[in-house]
Amino acid sequence: SLPEAAVFDGLVKSAAWPSTGITDRPYAFHIRRTLTTEDGPAVSDHYAYRLDDGKAAIMSGTFYTTLSEDLMAQLEEAAGIEPGQIYNLDAAISKAILQHAGGQGDLQTEAHEVLATIVDDRSDGSQVTAYCMVLDLSFDSDGKTLTETGGGHMPVAISFSQNLDGAYTLTEYWTPADGDYYAPSIREKFPSNIAEDAIDTQKYGLSQTQSCYAQAIAWFGLDLTEEIAGRIAVLCDTPNWEEPSPYVERGYLDYRQLLFYGDETLRYVFGEFLKGNQSGERAHALHRLMQELLGGENIGAETDNGQDYFDHWKAHVLQRYESHGLNYFREHAPKSYLLLDVMGMTRPQVMDAPALN
């Protein structure tokens, strides 16, 4: 009855995603059903398994859908398998960070950059240590905006044992010492070729903060259009906001928050420039935000006029779109892809499914 319940649970799910074969995964359950039809016996095969992030799923044919966690746990218990195993290192790192963070707030987020990985192979599996730069941020929301309620930014070394089936189990979560021992402890723990990168948290600060904010914006389902417009208005009304000092702190903090909002801010900026005729202090603020948020996707247009720069950049993107196609932008130029999305040039996307490989 348990395999039948698992199959039925999968059949009644409302969403399914294209899948690739996973029958060779050592932790998958193969469920074969034989049904009696007018044409004789009919066989169908189903596979219950864990995604790389530990969530339960069931596949039939070329599609898969989520599976009840309770049913999956029962299947694992019946087979003598420890439930909730994770088979993807990046997912194991994320889980370890969130468990260690323990922040206050409705939502805990994390972003990490793996600087190096060392694997020690053993007869019963492997010992894997990931040396990472980690940011964890917790958030509350009133439904209109976000409030940070805690967090930390530091290099960590996370060690796992990996069994012969490929599952990761956390064995150590190392953090640096405090005070004067902070930098020396990192140099002692981390491989020498990445130790200095690990000490420089600012190198990854903005991108990791944007990642955490993006998670929170999506989780709370926020529309930040009004807040972004308000903060840009503050910049336009604050003299010398680009030169932070105690006297112009407000404009600087608004600008920093707009950078934290990342693609949400960039989407708004694109929309304003697409209206055309942006000028004066407003065009300057939009231009400054756009250039910083585009990063490596900026072009060398020789103009200080924000509207002119955007028009040149848009023409550059559209020219590349004609020769490269949409998939290139999705994979290699995400900011340009965002512009195409704002312009309505991307096809409606089927919900992305977690990777199976």
Side-chain angles (χ1 to χ4, degrees):
S1 62
L2 181 57
E4 189 69 16
V7 171
F8 180 76
D9 184 70
L11 290 175
V12 300
K13 298 296 184 182
S14 59
W17 301 274
S19 177
T20 56
I22 48 81
T23 56
D24 58 342
R25 302 186 83 155
Y27 46 92
F29 295 92
H30 179 191
I31 302 170
R32 171 161 288 176
R33 303 170 76 227
T34 302
L35 304 176
T36 302
T37 70
E38 294 181 355
D39 298 325
V43 175
S44 62
D45 291 300
H46 307 262
Y47 300 90
Y49 58 100
R50 292 278 180 184
L51 296 170
D52 287 337
D53 62 3
K55 295 178 182 177
I58 189 166
M59 186 187 83
S60 179
T62 58
F63 289 89
Y64 82 94
T65 187
T66 55
L67 178 63
S68 160
E69 180 62 34
D70 178 63
L71 284 169
M72 188 63 175
Q74 291 183 58
L75 283 170
E76 290 171 327
E77 182 180 4
I81 295 175
E82 184 178 349
Q85 290 291 286
I86 295 180
Y87 297 83
N88 175 274
L89 179 59
D90 199 63
I93 292 170
S94 293
K95 180 179 179 180
I97 294 168
L98 293 174
Q99 288 178 333
H100 185 270
Q104 301 297 315
D106 289 338
L107 176 67
Q108 183 73 52
T109 66
E110 67 83 20
H112 62 270
E113 180 76 20
V114 178
L115 306 178
T117 303
I118 294 180
V119 179
D120 179 16
D121 291 323
R122 303 174 181 179
S123 60
D124 58 349
S126 302
Q127 182 73 18
V128 181
T129 300
Y131 299 90
C132 309
M133 181 64 72
V134 167
L135 173 67
D136 67 87
L137 288 178
S138 53
F139 295 92
D140 280 335
S141 176
D142 60 3
K144 296 180 180 180
T145 188
L146 292 170
T147 301
E148 287 186 35
T149 56
H153 196 199
M154 67 182 69
V156 303
I158 311 174
S159 296
F160 304 92
S161 62
Q162 184 182 26
N163 65 23
L164 295 177
D165 285 343
Y168 291 94
T169 301
L170 179 67
T171 56
E172 181 188 37
Y173 194 99
W174 180 93
T175 59
D178 294 329
D180 293 341
Y181 298 101
Y182 177 81
S185 68
I186 296 170
R187 292 189 179 101
E188 181 180 350
K189 181 70 174 180
F190 276 57
S192 59
N193 63 318
I194 62 167
E196 297 309 313
D197 272 353
I199 293 171
D200 182 12
T201 57
Q202 294 306 309
K203 184 175 182 179
Y204 306 95
L206 179 58
S207 62
Q208 293 190 324
T209 301
Q210 289 171 338
S211 176
C212 288
Y213 267 80
Q215 295 170 53
I217 291 167
W219 196 84
F220 287 112
L222 298 179
D223 181 352
L224 297 178
T225 303
E226 290 187 12
E227 182 179 354
I228 291 171
R231 290 186 181 275
I232 291 176
V234 169
L235 300 186
C236 296
D237 293 338
T238 305
N240 302 318
W241 59 268
E242 293 179 275
E243 302 173 6
S245 74
Y247 305 102
V248 294
E249 184 181 52
R250 185 184 178 206
Y252 170 70
L253 293 178
D254 279 276
Y255 181 74
R256 186 181 68 171
Q257 198 69 22
L258 287 166
L259 294 182
F260 289 171
Y261 291 153
D263 282 357
E264 293 299 309
T265 296
L266 196 54
R267 182 181 289 275
Y268 178 87
V269 169
F270 288 163
E272 294 302 291
F273 276 133
L274 284 168
K275 295 176 184 177
N277 300 318
Q278 301 298 322
S279 61
E281 196 60 36
R282 180 173 177 80
H284 174 68
L286 294 171
H287 184 202
R288 174 73 184 273
L289 286 163
M290 177 179 165
Q291 285 194 304
E292 187 145 5
L293 291 170
L294 285 182
E297 293 185 47
N298 274 294
I299 59 173
E302 296 181 1
T303 175
D304 292 329
N305 181 289
Q307 184 69 58
D308 285 348
Y309 181 87
F310 172 80
D311 292 341
H312 278 88
W313 186 77
K314 183 185 76 169
H316 170 76
V317 170
L318 293 178
Q319 184 179 34
R320 294 176 71 203
Y321 171 74
E322 290 297 324
S323 59
H324 289 77
L326 193 61
N327 285 335
Y328 171 84
F329 286 94
R330 187 185 292 114
E331 296 178 12
H332 302 292
K335 308 307 179 186
S336 302
Y337 180 86
L338 182 63
L339 173 66
L340 297 174
D341 187 58
V342 172
M343 295 175 66
M345 297 176 65
T346 59
R347 296 190 302 272
Q349 300 296 309
V350 177
M351 185 184 300
D352 288 336
L356 298 184
N357 295 323

Coordinates of all heavy atoms in Angstrom, one line a residue, residues 251-329:
G251 N 21.0 60.4 1.8 CA 21.1 60.0 0.4 C 22.0 58.8 0.1 O 21.7 58.0 -0.7
Y252 N 23.1 58.8 0.9 CA 24.1 57.6 0.7 C 23.4 56.3 1.1 O 23.5 55.3 0.4 CB 25.3 57.9 1.5 CG 26.2 56.7 1.6 CD1 26.9 56.2 0.5 CD2 26.3 55.9 2.8 CE1 27.7 55.1 0.6 CE2 27.1 54.8 2.9 CZ 27.8 54.4 1.8 OH 28.6 53.3 1.9
L253 N 22.7 56.3 2.2 CA 22.0 55.1 2.7 C 20.9 54.7 1.7 O 20.7 53.5 1.5 CB 21.4 55.3 4.1 CG 22.5 55.5 5.2 CD1 21.8 55.7 6.5 CD2 23.4 54.3 5.3
D254 N 20.2 55.6 1.1 CA 19.2 55.3 0.1 C 19.8 54.7 -1.1 O 19.3 53.7 -1.6 CB 18.4 56.5 -0.3 CG 17.3 56.9 0.8 OD1 16.2 56.3 0.7 OD2 17.6 57.7 1.6
Y255 N 20.9 55.2 -1.5 CA 21.6 54.7 -2.7 C 22.1 53.3 -2.4 O 21.9 52.4 -3.2 CB 22.8 55.6 -3.0 CG 23.6 55.1 -4.2 CD1 23.1 55.2 -5.5 CD2 24.8 54.5 -4.1 CE1 23.8 54.8 -6.6 CE2 25.6 54.0 -5.2 CZ 25.0 54.2 -6.5 OH 25.7 53.8 -7.5
R256 N 22.7 53.1 -1.2 CA 23.1 51.7 -0.9 C 22.0 50.7 -0.8 O 22.1 49.6 -1.3 CB 23.8 51.8 0.5 CG 24.5 50.4 0.9 CD 25.1 50.5 2.3 NE 24.1 50.6 3.3 CZ 24.3 50.6 4.6 NH1 25.5 50.4 5.0 NH2 23.3 50.7 5.5
Q257 N 20.8 51.1 -0.3 CA 19.7 50.2 -0.3 C 19.2 49.9 -1.7 O 18.8 48.8 -2.0 CB 18.6 50.9 0.5 CG 17.5 49.9 1.0 CD 18.0 48.9 2.0 OE1 19.0 49.2 2.7 NE2 17.3 47.8 2.2
L258 N 19.3 50.9 -2.6 CA 18.9 50.6 -4.0 C 19.8 49.6 -4.6 O 19.4 48.8 -5.4 CB 18.9 51.9 -4.8 CG 17.7 52.9 -4.4 CD1 18.0 54.3 -5.0 CD2 16.4 52.4 -5.0
L259 N 21.1 49.7 -4.3 CA 22.0 48.6 -4.8 C 21.7 47.3 -4.2 O 21.8 46.3 -4.9 CB 23.5 49.0 -4.4 CG 24.0 50.3 -5.1 CD1 25.5 50.5 -4.6 CD2 23.9 50.2 -6.6
F260 N 21.3 47.2 -2.9 CA 21.0 45.9 -2.3 C 19.8 45.3 -3.0 O 19.7 44.1 -3.1 CB 20.6 46.1 -0.8 CG 21.8 46.4 0.1 CD1 21.6 46.8 1.4 CD2 23.1 46.4 -0.4 CE1 22.7 47.1 2.2 CE2 24.2 46.7 0.4 CZ 24.0 47.0 1.7
Y261 N 18.8 46.1 -3.5 CA 17.7 45.6 -4.2 C 18.0 45.0 -5.6 O 17.2 44.3 -6.2 CB 16.6 46.7 -4.3 CG 15.9 47.1 -3.1 CD1 15.4 48.3 -2.9 CD2 15.9 46.2 -2.0 CE1 14.8 48.8 -1.7 CE2 15.3 46.6 -0.8 CZ 14.7 47.9 -0.7 OH 14.2 48.3 0.5
G262 N 19.2 45.3 -6.1 CA 19.7 44.6 -7.2 C 18.8 44.7 -8.4 O 18.5 45.7 -9.0
D263 N 18.4 43.5 -8.9 CA 17.6 43.4 -10.2 C 16.3 44.2 -10.1 O 15.7 44.6 -11.1 CB 17.4 42.0 -10.6 CG 18.7 41.4 -11.2 OD1 19.7 42.1 -11.4 OD2 18.6 40.2 -11.5
E264 N 15.7 44.3 -8.8 CA 14.5 45.0 -8.7 C 14.7 46.5 -9.0 O 13.9 47.1 -9.7 CB 14.0 44.8 -7.2 CG 13.5 43.4 -6.9 CD 12.4 42.9 -7.8 OE1 11.4 43.6 -7.9 OE2 12.6 41.8 -8.3
T265 N 15.8 47.0 -8.5 CA 16.1 48.4 -8.9 C 16.4 48.5 -10.4 O 16.0 49.5 -11.0 CB 17.3 48.9 -8.1 OG1 17.0 48.9 -6.7 CG2 17.8 50.3 -8.5
L266 N 17.2 47.6 -10.9 CA 17.6 47.7 -12.3 C 16.3 47.6 -13.2 O 16.2 48.3 -14.2 CB 18.5 46.6 -12.7 CG 19.3 46.7 -14.0 CD1 20.1 48.0 -14.0 CD2 20.3 45.5 -14.1
R267 N 15.4 46.7 -12.8 CA 14.1 46.6 -13.6 C 13.4 48.0 -13.6 O 12.9 48.4 -14.7 CB 13.3 45.5 -13.0 CG 11.9 45.3 -13.7 CD 11.1 44.2 -13.0 NE 11.7 42.9 -13.2 CZ 11.6 42.1 -14.2 NH1 10.8 42.5 -15.2 NH2 12.1 40.9 -14.3
Y268 N 13.4 48.7 -12.5 CA 12.7 50.0 -12.4 C 13.5 51.0 -13.3 O 12.8 51.7 -14.0 CB 12.7 50.5 -10.9 CG 12.1 51.8 -10.8 CD1 10.7 52.0 -10.6 CD2 12.9 53.0 -10.8 CE1 10.1 53.2 -10.5 CE2 12.3 54.2 -10.7 CZ 10.9 54.4 -10.5 OH 10.4 55.6 -10.4
V269 N 14.8 51.0 -13.2 CA 15.6 51.9 -14.0 C 15.4 51.7 -15.5 O 15.2 52.7 -16.2 CB 17.1 51.8 -13.6 CG1 18.0 52.5 -14.6 CG2 17.4 52.2 -12.2
F270 N 15.3 50.5 -15.9 CA 15.1 50.2 -17.3 C 13.7 50.7 -17.7 O 13.6 51.3 -18.8 CB 15.1 48.7 -17.6 CG 16.4 48.0 -17.5 CD1 16.6 46.6 -17.4 CD2 17.6 48.8 -17.6 CE1 17.8 46.0 -17.3 CE2 18.9 48.2 -17.6 CZ 19.0 46.8 -17.4
G271 N 12.7 50.5 -16.9 CA 11.4 51.0 -17.2 C 11.3 52.5 -17.4 O 10.6 53.0 -18.3
E272 N 12.0 53.2 -16.5 CA 12.0 54.7 -16.6 C 12.8 55.1 -17.9 O 12.3 56.0 -18.6 CB 12.7 55.3 -15.3 CG 11.9 55.0 -14.1 CD 10.5 55.6 -14.1 OE1 10.4 56.8 -14.1 OE2 9.6 54.8 -14.2
F273 N 13.9 54.6 -18.2 CA 14.6 55.0 -19.4 C 13.8 54.6 -20.6 O 13.9 55.3 -21.6 CB 16.0 54.3 -19.4 CG 17.0 55.1 -18.6 CD1 17.9 54.5 -17.8 CD2 17.2 56.5 -18.8 CE1 18.9 55.2 -17.0 CE2 18.1 57.2 -18.1 CZ 19.0 56.6 -17.2
L274 N 13.1 53.5 -20.6 CA 12.3 53.1 -21.8 C 11.2 54.1 -22.1 O 10.7 54.2 -23.2 CB 11.7 51.7 -21.6 CG 12.7 50.5 -21.7 CD1 12.1 49.2 -21.2 CD2 13.2 50.4 -23.2
K275 N 10.8 54.9 -21.1 CA 9.8 55.9 -21.3 C 10.4 57.1 -22.1 O 9.7 57.8 -22.8 CB 9.3 56.5 -19.9 CG 8.5 55.5 -19.1 CD 8.2 56.1 -17.7 CE 7.5 55.1 -16.8 NZ 7.2 55.6 -15.5
G276 N 11.7 57.2 -22.0 CA 12.4 58.2 -22.8 C 12.4 59.6 -22.1 O 11.7 59.8 -21.1
N277 N 13.3 60.5 -22.5 CA 13.3 61.9 -22.1 C 13.7 62.0 -20.6 O 13.3 63.0 -20.0 CB 12.0 62.6 -22.4 CG 11.6 62.6 -23.9 OD1 12.5 62.8 -24.7 ND2 10.4 62.3 -24.2
Q278 N 14.4 61.1 -20.0 CA 14.9 61.3 -18.7 C 16.0 62.4 -18.7 O 16.9 62.3 -19.6 CB 15.4 60.0 -18.1 CG 14.4 58.9 -18.0 CD 13.2 59.3 -17.1 OE1 13.4 59.9 -16.1 NE2 12.0 58.9 -17.6
S279 N 16.0 63.3 -17.8 CA 17.0 64.4 -17.8 C 17.3 64.9 -16.4 O 16.7 64.5 -15.4 CB 16.5 65.6 -18.7 OG 15.3 66.1 -18.1
G280 N 18.3 65.7 -16.3 CA 18.6 66.4 -15.1 C 19.1 65.4 -14.0 O 19.8 64.4 -14.3
E281 N 18.9 65.8 -12.8 CA 19.4 65.0 -11.6 C 18.8 63.6 -11.6 O 19.4 62.6 -11.2 CB 19.0 65.7 -10.3 CG 19.8 65.2 -9.1 CD 21.3 65.3 -9.3 OE1 21.8 66.3 -9.9 OE2 22.0 64.4 -8.8
R282 N 17.5 63.4 -12.1 CA 16.9 62.1 -12.1 C 17.6 61.2 -13.1 O 17.9 60.1 -12.8 CB 15.4 62.3 -12.5 CG 14.7 60.9 -12.6 CD 13.2 61.1 -12.8 NE 12.6 59.8 -12.9 CZ 12.2 59.0 -11.9 NH1 12.5 59.4 -10.7 NH2 11.6 57.9 -12.1
A283 N 17.9 61.7 -14.3 CA 18.7 60.9 -15.3 C 20.0 60.5 -14.7 O 20.5 59.4 -15.0 CB 18.8 61.7 -16.6
H284 N 20.7 61.5 -14.0 CA 22.0 61.2 -13.5 C 21.9 60.0 -12.4 O 22.7 59.1 -12.4 CB 22.6 62.4 -12.8 CG 23.8 62.2 -12.1 ND1 25.0 61.9 -12.7 CD2 24.1 62.2 -10.8 CE1 26.0 61.7 -11.8 NE2 25.5 61.9 -10.6
A285 N 20.9 60.1 -11.5 CA 20.8 59.1 -10.5 C 20.5 57.7 -11.1 O 21.0 56.7 -10.8 CB 19.7 59.4 -9.5
L286 N 19.6 57.7 -12.1 CA 19.2 56.4 -12.8 C 20.5 55.9 -13.5 O 20.7 54.7 -13.5 CB 18.1 56.7 -13.8 CG 16.7 57.0 -13.3 CD1 15.8 57.5 -14.4 CD2 16.1 55.9 -12.5
H287 N 21.3 56.8 -14.2 CA 22.5 56.4 -14.9 C 23.5 55.8 -13.9 O 24.1 54.7 -14.2 CB 23.0 57.6 -15.6 CG 24.2 57.3 -16.4 ND1 25.2 58.3 -16.8 CD2 24.7 56.2 -17.0 CE1 26.1 57.8 -17.5 NE2 25.9 56.5 -17.7
R288 N 23.7 56.4 -12.8 CA 24.7 55.9 -11.8 C 24.3 54.5 -11.3 O 25.1 53.6 -11.2 CB 24.8 56.9 -10.7 CG 25.7 56.4 -9.5 CD 27.1 56.5 -9.8 NE 27.9 55.9 -8.7 CZ 28.4 56.7 -7.7 NH1 28.1 58.0 -7.7 NH2 29.1 56.1 -6.8
L289 N 23.0 54.3 -11.0 CA 22.5 53.0 -10.5 C 22.7 52.0 -11.6 O 23.1 50.9 -11.3 CB 21.0 53.2 -10.1 CG 20.7 53.9 -8.8 CD1 19.3 54.3 -8.7 CD2 21.1 53.0 -7.6
M290 N 22.3 52.3 -12.8 CA 22.4 51.4 -13.9 C 23.8 50.9 -14.1 O 24.1 49.7 -14.3 CB 21.8 52.0 -15.2 CG 21.9 51.1 -16.4 SD 21.2 51.9 -17.9 CE 21.9 50.8 -19.2
Q291 N 24.8 51.8 -14.2 CA 26.1 51.5 -14.4 C 26.7 50.6 -13.3 O 27.4 49.6 -13.6 CB 27.0 52.7 -14.6 CG 26.8 53.4 -15.9 CD 27.9 54.4 -16.2 OE1 28.2 55.3 -15.4 NE2 28.6 54.3 -17.3
E292 N 26.4 50.9 -12.1 CA 26.9 50.0 -11.0 C 26.2 48.6 -11.0 O 26.9 47.6 -10.8 CB 26.7 50.7 -9.7 CG 27.4 50.0 -8.5 CD 27.9 50.9 -7.5 OE1 27.7 52.1 -7.5 OE2 28.5 50.3 -6.5
L293 N 24.9 48.6 -11.3 CA 24.2 47.3 -11.3 C 24.5 46.5 -12.5 O 24.4 45.2 -12.4 CB 22.7 47.6 -11.1 CG 22.3 48.1 -9.8 CD1 20.8 48.6 -9.8 CD2 22.5 47.1 -8.6
L294 N 24.9 47.1 -13.6 CA 25.2 46.3 -14.8 C 26.6 45.6 -14.6 O 26.8 44.5 -15.2 CB 25.3 47.2 -16.0 CG 24.0 47.7 -16.7 CD1 24.3 48.5 -17.9 CD2 23.1 46.5 -17.0
G295 N 27.5 46.1 -13.9 CA 28.8 45.5 -13.7 C 29.5 45.3 -15.0 O 29.7 46.2 -15.8
G296 N 29.8 44.0 -15.2 CA 30.6 43.6 -16.4 C 29.8 43.7 -17.7 O 30.4 43.5 -18.8
E297 N 28.5 44.0 -17.7 CA 27.8 44.2 -18.9 C 27.7 45.6 -19.4 O 26.9 45.9 -20.3 CB 26.4 43.6 -18.7 CG 26.4 42.1 -18.5 CD 25.0 41.4 -18.5 OE1 24.2 41.8 -19.3 OE2 24.8 40.7 -17.5
N298 N 28.4 46.5 -18.7 CA 28.5 47.9 -19.2 C 29.2 47.9 -20.6 O 30.0 47.0 -20.9 CB 29.3 48.8 -18.2 CG 28.4 49.3 -17.1 OD1 27.5 50.1 -17.4 ND2 28.6 48.9 -15.9
I299 N 29.0 49.0 -21.3 CA 29.7 49.2 -22.6 C 30.4 50.6 -22.5 O 30.2 51.4 -21.6 CB 28.7 49.2 -23.8 CG1 27.7 50.4 -23.6 CG2 28.1 47.9 -24.0 CD1 26.8 50.6 -24.8
G300 N 31.3 50.8 -23.4 CA 32.2 52.0 -23.3 C 31.6 53.2 -24.1 O 32.4 53.9 -24.7
A301 N 30.3 53.4 -23.9 CA 29.7 54.6 -24.6 C 30.2 55.9 -24.0 O 30.2 56.0 -22.8 CB 28.2 54.5 -24.5
E302 N 30.7 56.8 -24.8 CA 31.3 58.0 -24.3 C 30.2 59.1 -24.2 O 30.1 60.0 -25.0 CB 32.4 58.5 -25.2 CG 33.6 57.5 -25.3 CD 34.7 58.0 -26.2 OE1 34.6 59.1 -26.8 OE2 35.7 57.3 -26.3
T303 N 29.5 59.0 -23.1 CA 28.5 60.0 -22.8 C 28.2 60.1 -21.3 O 28.2 59.0 -20.7 CB 27.1 59.7 -23.6 OG1 26.1 60.7 -23.2 CG2 26.6 58.3 -23.3
D304 N 27.9 61.2 -20.8 CA 27.6 61.4 -19.4 C 26.1 61.6 -19.3 O 25.6 61.7 -18.2 CB 28.3 62.6 -18.8 CG 29.8 62.5 -18.7 OD1 30.2 61.3 -18.5 OD2 30.5 63.4 -18.8
N305 N 25.4 61.6 -20.4 CA 23.9 61.7 -20.4 C 23.3 60.3 -20.1 O 23.5 59.4 -20.9 CB 23.4 62.3 -21.7 CG 21.9 62.5 -21.7 OD1 21.2 61.6 -21.8 ND2 21.5 63.8 -21.6
G306 N 22.5 60.2 -19.0 CA 22.0 58.9 -18.7 C 21.1 58.3 -19.7 O 21.1 57.1 -20.0
Q307 N 20.2 59.1 -20.3 CA 19.3 58.6 -21.3 C 20.0 58.2 -22.6 O 19.7 57.1 -23.2 CB 18.2 59.7 -21.7 CG 17.2 59.2 -22.7 CD 16.2 58.2 -22.1 OE1 15.6 58.5 -21.1 NE2 16.1 57.0 -22.7
D308 N 21.0 59.0 -23.0 CA 21.8 58.6 -24.1 C 22.6 57.3 -23.9 O 22.7 56.4 -24.8 CB 22.9 59.7 -24.5 CG 22.2 60.9 -25.1 OD1 21.0 60.8 -25.6 OD2 22.9 61.9 -25.2
Y309 N 23.1 57.1 -22.7 CA 23.9 55.9 -22.4 C 22.9 54.7 -22.4 O 23.3 53.7 -23.0 CB 24.5 56.0 -21.0 CG 25.3 54.7 -20.6 CD1 26.6 54.6 -21.0 CD2 24.7 53.6 -20.0 CE1 27.3 53.4 -20.7 CE2 25.4 52.5 -19.7 CZ 26.7 52.4 -20.1 OH 27.4 51.2 -19.8
F310 N 21.8 54.8 -21.9 CA 20.8 53.7 -21.9 C 20.4 53.4 -23.3 O 20.4 52.2 -23.7 CB 19.5 54.0 -21.1 CG 18.5 53.0 -21.3 CD1 18.5 51.8 -20.6 CD2 17.4 53.2 -22.2 CE1 17.5 50.9 -20.8 CE2 16.4 52.3 -22.4 CZ 16.5 51.1 -21.7
D311 N 20.2 54.4 -24.2 CA 19.8 54.2 -25.6 C 20.9 53.4 -26.3 O 20.6 52.5 -27.1 CB 19.4 55.5 -26.2 CG 18.2 56.1 -25.7 OD1 17.4 55.4 -25.1 OD2 18.0 57.3 -25.9
H312 N 22.1 53.8 -26.1 CA 23.3 53.1 -26.7 C 23.4 51.7 -26.2 O 23.6 50.8 -27.0 CB 24.6 53.9 -26.4 CG 24.9 55.0 -27.3 ND1 24.4 56.3 -27.0 CD2 25.6 55.1 -28.4 CE1 24.8 57.1 -27.9 NE2 25.5 56.4 -28.8
W313 N 23.2 51.5 -24.9 CA 23.3 50.2 -24.3 C 22.2 49.3 -24.8 O 22.4 48.1 -25.2 CB 23.3 50.2 -22.8 CG 23.5 48.9 -22.2 CD1 24.7 48.3 -22.0 CD2 22.5 48.1 -21.6 NE1 24.5 47.1 -21.3 CE2 23.2 46.9 -21.1 CE3 21.2 48.2 -21.4 CZ2 22.5 45.9 -20.4 CZ3 20.5 47.1 -20.7 CH2 21.2 46.0 -20.3
K314 N 21.0 49.8 -24.9 CA 19.8 49.0 -25.4 C 20.1 48.6 -26.9 O 19.8 47.4 -27.2 CB 18.5 49.8 -25.3 CG 17.3 49.1 -25.8 CD 16.0 49.9 -25.8 CE 16.0 50.8 -26.9 NZ 14.7 51.5 -27.1
A315 N 20.6 49.5 -27.7 CA 20.8 49.2 -29.1 C 21.9 48.1 -29.2 O 21.8 47.2 -30.0 CB 21.3 50.4 -29.8
H316 N 22.9 48.1 -28.3 CA 23.9 47.1 -28.2 C 23.3 45.8 -27.9 O 23.7 44.7 -28.5 CB 25.0 47.5 -27.2 CG 26.0 46.5 -26.8 ND1 27.0 46.1 -27.7 CD2 26.1 45.7 -25.7 CE1 27.7 45.2 -27.1 NE2 27.2 44.9 -25.9
V317 N 22.4 45.7 -26.9 CA 21.8 44.5 -26.5 C 21.0 43.9 -27.6 O 21.0 42.7 -27.9 CB 20.9 44.7 -25.2 CG1 20.1 43.5 -24.9 CG2 21.8 45.0 -24.0
L318 N 20.2 44.7 -28.2 CA 19.3 44.2 -29.3 C 20.1 43.7 -30.5 O 19.7 42.7 -31.1 CB 18.4 45.4 -29.8 CG 17.3 45.8 -28.7 CD1 16.5 47.0 -29.3 CD2 16.4 44.6 -28.3
Q319 N 21.2 44.4 -30.8 CA 22.1 43.9 -31.8 C 22.7 42.5 -31.5 O 22.7 41.6 -32.4 CB 23.3 44.9 -32.1 CG 24.2 44.5 -33.3 CD 25.3 45.5 -33.5 OE1 25.8 46.1 -32.5 NE2 25.6 45.7 -34.7
R320 N 23.1 42.3 -30.3 CA 23.6 41.0 -29.9 C 22.5 40.0 -29.8 O 22.7 38.8 -30.1 CB 24.3 41.1 -28.5 CG 25.5 42.0 -28.5 CD 26.1 42.1 -27.1 NE 26.6 40.9 -26.6 CZ 26.8 40.6 -25.3 NH1 26.4 41.4 -24.4 NH2 27.3 39.4 -25.0
Y321 N 21.3 40.4 -29.5 CA 20.1 39.5 -29.4 C 19.9 38.9 -30.8 O 19.6 37.7 -30.9 CB 18.9 40.2 -28.9 CG 17.6 39.5 -29.0 CD1 17.3 38.4 -28.1 CD2 16.7 39.8 -30.0 CE1 16.1 37.7 -28.2 CE2 15.5 39.1 -30.1 CZ 15.2 38.1 -29.2 OH 14.1 37.4 -29.3
E322 N 20.0 39.7 -31.8 CA 19.8 39.2 -33.2 C 20.8 38.2 -33.6 O 20.4 37.2 -34.3 CB 19.9 40.4 -34.2 CG 18.7 41.4 -34.1 CD 17.4 40.8 -34.4 OE1 17.4 39.9 -35.3 OE2 16.4 41.1 -33.8
S323 N 22.0 38.3 -33.1 CA 23.0 37.3 -33.5 C 23.2 36.1 -32.5 O 23.6 35.0 -32.9 CB 24.4 38.0 -33.6 OG 24.8 38.6 -32.4
H324 N 22.8 36.3 -31.3 CA 23.1 35.3 -30.3 C 21.8 34.5 -29.8 O 21.9 33.3 -29.5 CB 23.7 35.9 -29.0 CG 25.1 36.3 -29.2 ND1 25.5 37.5 -29.9 CD2 26.3 35.7 -28.9 CE1 26.8 37.6 -29.9 NE2 27.3 36.5 -29.3
G325 N 20.7 35.2 -29.9 CA 19.4 34.5 -29.4 C 19.2 34.6 -27.9 O 20.1 35.0 -27.2
L326 N 18.1 34.2 -27.5 CA 17.6 34.5 -26.1 C 18.4 33.6 -25.1 O 18.8 34.1 -24.0 CB 16.1 34.2 -25.9 CG 15.5 34.6 -24.7 CD1 15.6 36.2 -24.5 CD2 14.0 34.2 -24.7
N327 N 18.7 32.4 -25.4 CA 19.4 31.5 -24.5 C 20.7 32.0 -24.1 O 21.2 31.8 -22.9 CB 19.5 30.0 -25.1 CG 18.2 29.3 -25.1 OD1 17.3 29.6 -24.2 ND2 18.0 28.4 -25.9
Y328 N 21.4 32.6 -25.0 CA 22.8 33.2 -24.7 C 22.6 34.2 -23.6 O 23.5 34.2 -22.6 CB 23.3 33.8 -25.9 CG 24.6 34.6 -25.6 CD1 25.8 34.0 -25.6 CD2 24.5 36.0 -25.4 CE1 27.0 34.7 -25.3 CE2 25.7 36.7 -25.1 CZ 26.9 36.1 -25.1 OH 28.0 36.8 -24.8
F329 N 21.7 35.0 -23.6 CA 21.5 36.1 -22.6 C 21.1 35.5 -21.3 O 21.6 35.9 -20.2 CB 20.5 37.1 -23.1 CG 21.0 38.0 -24.1 CD1 20.7 37.7 -25.5 CD2 21.7 39.2 -23.8 CE1 21.2 38.5 -26.5 CE2 22.2 40.0 -24.8 CZ 21.9 39.7 -26.2

